[in-house]
Amino acid sequence: MPSFDNIVIWTGFALFVLMIPALWRVIKGPTAIDRIVAVNVIGTKTAVLLVVIGQKFQKVEMFVDFALAYALLNFIGSLAASRFLQKSPCERQESKGAATES
Amino acid sequence: MIQETIITIISTLLILCGLIFFLGAAVGLLRFPDFYTRMHAAGKGDTLSSFLVVLGFAVYQLHDFKFTEAGFKENWWVLLLILKLIGICAFIMITSPTSTHALMNAGWEDDIEPELKHKDANELEKDYPRK
C-alpha cells in the first residue's frame, strides 16, 4: 500500500497534467470567452494545487489561506472579464442599426 | 494505527473521484464542438472535482487526531483547519456556478451562435431575447 505522501505527489502531478488541455484551449479557443473559461478552469485547479502543496510540506494551515485568496481572485477576475465582454443595451442597438442600414 | 489506515483510504478515494471528474472536465473542454457545451463541461466538472479533492484533504487532517479530552486540548487547531478547508469547498461551490453563469450570459449577448440540430438560433432568440 503506497503511503499518503506518494498519493499527494501523484495528485499534484495529475492536476498539473490536466492543466495542459485547458492551456491548449487558451491558445486555440475560437472566441475570447472560450479563453476566459479555460483560464478560469486553470485558476480553480491552481487553488486546489496550493492545498496539495501545503499537504506535501506539512503546512496546510499556511497554504489554506493562499488557496482561499487565489479562489477569490479567480472569481473576481472571471466576473470582471465577463462584464467587460458583455455588450451594453445601447451598444447592441447601435450594432443592430448599423446592420440594418448596410 | 487502524484510524490512520481508515482515514487514508477514505481520503484517497475522495481524491481519486475528484481527479476522475477533473479528467472529464479536461476532455470535455478539449473535444466539445461549440462554446456552450464546452462551458457545460468546464463549469460542472470543475466545481464537483475541486470540492471532492479539497474534502479529501480535509478528511486526511484527522489522521493523527485523538478523540479524547487531552487530544482536543492539544490539537484543537486541527478542527479549525478542517473548518477552513470546508470553507474553501463552500466558496468554490458558490462562486464557480456564479462565474459560469456570468460568462455564459456574456457569451449569449456577445452573439456567439450555438450549434443546433433542429432549431434555428433566431427561434431560440424569441424565448431568450438578447437585451
Side-chain angles (χ1 to χ4, degrees):
Chain A
M1 187 178 148
S3 69
F4 194 72
D5 212 31
N6 282 334
I7 295 167
V8 169
I9 292 173
W10 284 107
T11 307
F13 183 71
L15 280 174
F16 182 72
V17 167
L18 288 175
M19 277 182 194
I20 293 170
L23 201 62
W24 169 248
R25 186 50 72 192
V26 173
I27 295 164
K28 192 166 170 279
T31 62
I33 303 180
D34 264 319
R35 294 168 210 259
I36 293 168
V37 175
V39 168
N40 196 11
V41 169
I42 291 180
T44 317
K45 277 194 179 64
T46 309
V48 177
L49 194 60
L50 277 171
V51 178
V52 175
I53 292 169
Q55 182 64 53
K56 177 70 192 92
F57 290 137
Q58 306 285 322
K59 275 188 181 164
V60 190
E61 64 271 18
M62 189 170 87
F63 277 82
V64 155
D65 295 338
F66 300 166
L68 198 57
Y70 204 89
L72 224 156
L73 277 177
N74 188 31
F75 174 55
I76 299 293
S78 66
L79 271 191
S82 75
R83 280 294 141 199
F84 178 69
L85 283 169
Q86 208 163 24
K87 279 183 188 165
S88 62
C90 62
E91 215 178 351
R92 170 161 294 284
Q93 287 297 324
E94 273 172 21
S95 69
K96 262 185 188 170
T100 47
E101 271 168 29
S102 66
Chain B
M1 189 61 214
I2 185 123
Q3 183 195 352
E4 191 171 346
T5 312
I6 292 170
I7 293 278
T8 305
I9 288 171
I10 293 174
S11 56
T12 306
L13 276 179
L14 282 171
I15 290 168
L16 275 181
C17 284
L19 286 179
I20 288 169
F21 278 106
F22 261 138
L23 182 67
V27 171
L29 201 64
L30 205 60
R31 283 187 57 92
F32 271 142
D34 73 336
F35 166 69
Y36 298 97
T37 46
R38 279 199 284 271
M39 202 76 181
H40 164 81
K44 285 186 191 181
D46 234 34
T47 311
L48 184 59
S49 53
S50 327
F51 178 77
L52 284 174
V53 173
V54 176
L55 199 68
F57 281 104
V59 169
Y60 185 70
Q61 304 308 316
L62 281 173
H63 72 286
D64 58 355
F65 190 78
K66 291 179 185 65
F67 290 93
T68 57
E69 202 174 335
F72 274 107
K73 265 185 187 158
E74 199 179 338
N75 281 330
W76 56 272
W77 55 272
V78 170
L79 297 179
L80 212 63
L81 183 56
I82 291 169
L83 204 69
K84 262 186 183 175
L85 281 167
I86 292 174
I88 290 184
C89 289
F91 187 75
I92 288 176
M93 284 299 254
I94 294 169
T95 59
S96 183
T98 311
S99 62
T100 306
H101 177 88
L103 284 169
M104 188 89 88
N105 201 10
W108 176 245
E109 294 193 0
D110 208 27
D111 294 329
I112 297 175
E113 294 303 327
E115 276 193 15
L116 297 172
K117 216 173 186 180
H118 306 296
K119 264 188 166 181
D120 192 13
N122 292 328
E123 212 171 308
L124 223 134
E125 209 174 330
K126 275 179 211 155
D127 296 338
Y128 302 99
R130 290 168 166 144
K131 277 171 211 156

